[in-house]
């Protein structure tokens, strides 16, 4: 294993930053790659995003290798030496490891001898909120690079260590979060009939939403509606409350089914709010479009997996989590693949998770193979 990259990974883990606040993380990446002679470094793309560019002639395709800069608002339970020093923030999705892999490609690219083509190492902000990729795609500093291919990986606890996990078509779910705000009328708790308490409406909405779900993830019309937070009133026992908030995250495979589900939710809220004489509002946020893998890009991933001697696992159904790589897949030939982090490894977003350093070499080998296949074609 490359000690320099393990050291970088642990440094990134020690100083994590949440989505949209990745200024110091981006600076650390820039400082690291400067020693490896990139053609150009483009900063502040769609926020704190960074593109490290290596050009090998005026012609040929442009290959983008993308990773994520941000960490999560999770208090770390680990006690190892490189634990987070930013209280309440930690790299519990492995983005520190993804960054070390992509930054490590600069060591190889500094010595590469391709005749044509361009490689862009892309460090994307705000993946965890679903905003980062969309913001980069809205920035001419990124679109002017004119990518032909975009690749990414995500480590996957629960999968065998070093296994490469692939699937053409949908790779991750379409995900949308929402907050339903209901407003009635406050009253004395002894005289609730003089007010409008939203509690029964909340209870009914939960039941209605459960009827919309199809938790069979092997089905094309899979839909998952997960209640996240419910706020009704305060611990003031003389008051019948007037306000309620109901937070959900919803998941489907296709964008079309997501649109249909959103319409069903809107209609249900309209009906129930009217029934209980409540005013209402729905806020929609943190949207992740499905990552839809290009079939030819997946074939390239499979080819490189065989070349490098790694084990390949083909998924039959998509992963249920959201990944804003889906914004890239809407515009470019692209694929995101999984990298097994160990069957017994702590799960993503768990407070005791830490990226397995032995995956750095595997990830670098895969991306080197993909770049070579495309630029030497």
């Amino acid at each position: 294993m490359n000690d320099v990259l393990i050291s970088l990974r642990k440094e990134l883990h020690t100083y994590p930053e949440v989505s949209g606040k990745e200024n110091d993380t981006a600076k650390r990446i820039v400082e690291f790659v400067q020693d490896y002679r990139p053609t150009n470094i483009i900063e502040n793309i769609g926020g704190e995003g960074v593109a490290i560019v290596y050009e090998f002639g005026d012609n040929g395709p442009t290959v983008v290798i993308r990773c994520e800069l941000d960490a999560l608002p999770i208090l770390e339970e680990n006690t190892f030496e490189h634990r987070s020093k930013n209280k309440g923030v930690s790299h519990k999705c492995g983005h520190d490891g993804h960054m070390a892999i992509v930054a490590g490609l600069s060591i190889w690219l500094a010595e590469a001898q391709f005749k044509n083509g361009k490689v862009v190492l892309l460090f994307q902000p705000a993946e965890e909120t679903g905003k980062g990729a969309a913001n980069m795609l809205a920035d001419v500093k990124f679109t002017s690079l004119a990518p032909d291919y975009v690749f990414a990986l995500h480590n996957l606890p629960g999968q065998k260590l070093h296994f490469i996990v692939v699937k053409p078509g949908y790779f991750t779910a379409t995900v949308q979060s929402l907050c339903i705000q209901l407003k009635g009328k406050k009253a004395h708790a002894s005289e609730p009939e003089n007010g409008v308490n939203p509690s029964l409406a909340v209870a009914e909405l939960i039941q209605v939403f459960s009827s919309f779900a199809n938790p069979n993830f092997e089905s094309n019309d899979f839909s998952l509606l997960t209640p996240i937070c419910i706020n009704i009133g305060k611990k003031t026992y003389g008051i019948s409350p007037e306000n309620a908030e109901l937070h959900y995250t919803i998941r489907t495979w296709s964008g079309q089914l997501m649109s249909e589900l959103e319409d069903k939710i809107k209609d249900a809220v309209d009906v129930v709010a009217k029934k209980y004489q409540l005013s209402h509002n729905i806020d929609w946020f943190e949207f992740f479009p499905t990552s839809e893998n290009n079939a030819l890009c997946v074939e390239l991933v499979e080819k490189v997996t065989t070349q490098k001697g790694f084990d390949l696992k083909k998924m039959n159904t998509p992963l249920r989590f959201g990944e804003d790589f889906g914004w890239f897949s809407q515009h470019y030939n692209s694929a995101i693949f999984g990298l097994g982090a160990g069957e017994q490894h702590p799960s993503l977003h768990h407070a005791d998770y830490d990226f397995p350093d032995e995956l750095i070499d595997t990830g670098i080998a895969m991306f080197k193979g993909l770049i070579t296949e495309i630029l030497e074609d």
Side-chain angles (χ1 to χ4, degrees):
M1 289 191 288
N2 190 314
D3 290 341
V4 172
L5 296 179
I6 292 175
S7 178
L8 172 65
R9 201 284 293 182
K10 290 182 176 179
E11 179 184 352
L12 293 167
H13 188 99
T14 303
Y15 301 101
E17 296 174 300
V18 295
S19 303
K21 307 289 185 181
E22 311 95 333
N23 181 263
D24 289 343
T25 304
K27 286 181 179 177
R28 285 187 165 87
I29 294 298
V30 170
E31 289 171 2
F32 179 87
V33 301
Q34 281 175 338
D35 290 337
Y36 302 105
R37 305 186 301 280
T39 306
N40 194 13
I41 297 176
I42 307 170
E43 300 182 67
N44 302 120
I45 307 174
E48 300 296 342
V50 178
I52 313 299
V53 183
Y54 287 86
E55 295 181 358
F56 300 98
D58 296 331
N59 300 311
T62 295
V63 183
V64 173
I65 308 296
R66 169 269 197 182
C67 65
E68 318 93 322
L69 289 164
D70 55 340
L72 286 156
I74 295 175
L75 181 67
E76 182 157 48
E77 290 182 353
N78 304 106
T79 58
F80 42 57
E81 188 175 348
H82 63 277
R83 65 187 178 276
S84 172
K85 290 187 177 180
N86 295 340
K87 188 175 182 179
V89 183
S90 54
H91 274 293
K92 296 301 167 185
C93 209
H95 294 176
D96 52 339
H98 301 170
M99 284 186 278
I101 290 169
V102 176
L105 291 169
S106 65
I107 302 172
W108 170 67
L109 289 167
E111 306 297 333
Q113 300 292 322
F114 297 114
K115 294 180 180 179
N116 284 296
K118 182 189 301 180
V119 178
V120 180
L121 308 179
L122 190 67
F123 297 82
Q124 178 209 304
E127 188 280 327
E128 296 291 353
T129 61
K131 296 179 180 179
N135 288 342
M136 292 194 107
L137 284 162
D139 193 327
V140 69
K141 286 185 286 187
F142 173 75
T143 55
S144 63
L145 293 169
D148 294 289
Y149 300 90
V150 185
F151 291 96
L153 62 74
H154 206 293
N155 78 95
L156 296 179
Q159 300 291 338
K160 291 182 179 179
L161 194 67
H162 302 296
F163 268 53
I164 305 303
V165 181
V166 299
K167 184 184 178 300
Y170 301 146
F171 189 78
T172 59
T174 302
V175 182
Q176 174 73 74
S177 295
L178 64 142
C179 170
I180 300 163
Q181 298 165 321
L182 301 172
K183 184 174 179 60
K185 183 181 178 182
K186 190 180 298 183
H188 196 287
S190 67
E191 300 174 336
E193 70 276 10
N194 293 332
V196 181
N197 189 317
S199 300
L200 290 177
V202 169
E204 186 165 331
L205 285 172
I206 292 171
Q207 292 296 317
V208 172
F209 292 169
S210 70
S211 72
F212 297 160
N214 174 13
N216 179 10
F217 57 85
E218 294 183 352
S219 170
N220 288 333
D221 59 353
F222 159 80
S223 57
L224 192 64
L225 296 88
T226 306
I228 301 299
C229 178
I230 301 171
N231 288 320
I232 305 174
K234 298 179 181 179
K235 295 178 182 178
T236 305
Y237 298 95
I239 298 175
S240 176
E242 63 180 337
N243 296 324
E245 282 192 352
L246 182 57
H247 295 252
Y248 266 79
T249 183
I250 56 178
R251 298 165 196 269
T252 62
W253 295 147
S254 73
Q256 179 180 345
L257 188 58
M258 176 60 74
S259 295
E260 294 172 2
L261 182 57
E262 290 172 359
D263 287 341
K264 290 169 72 173
I265 289 171
K266 292 174 187 175
D267 290 343
V269 173
D270 283 343
V271 169
V272 172
K274 184 176 181 180
K275 175 180 176 181
Y276 290 98
Q277 298 179 308
L278 299 162
S279 61
H280 68 277
N281 183 61
I282 306 178
D283 289 331
W284 306 88
F285 47 89
E286 292 195 7
F287 176 70
F288 296 81
T290 183
S291 296
E292 189 164 1
N293 283 343
N294 175 275
L296 293 177
C297 290
V298 173
E299 288 179 13
L300 272 175
V301 173
E302 293 177 353
K303 181 178 180 180
V304 170
T305 302
T306 301
Q307 287 175 348
K308 300 298 181 181
F310 298 130
D311 291 303
L312 182 72
K313 178 176 180 178
K314 297 183 179 182
M315 293 194 306
N316 295 320
T317 57
L319 298 166
R320 283 181 278 176
F321 63 70
E323 222 311 339
D324 81 348
F325 186 80
W327 292 109
F328 294 109
S329 71
Q330 291 182 355
H331 298 274
Y332 305 107
N333 295 322
S334 63
I336 181 170
F337 59 92
L339 179 53
E343 291 178 292
Q344 304 304 317
H345 197 77
S347 298
L348 299 175
H349 293 207
H350 282 215
D352 61 343
Y353 169 91
D354 188 38
F355 182 86
D357 286 323
E358 55 264 54
L359 295 184
I360 294 175
D361 287 346
T362 308
I364 287 175
M366 285 298 300
F367 285 138
K368 284 169 65 175
L370 289 166
I371 292 166
T372 301
E373 279 294 314
I374 293 168
L375 296 193
E376 288 189 349
D377 186 19

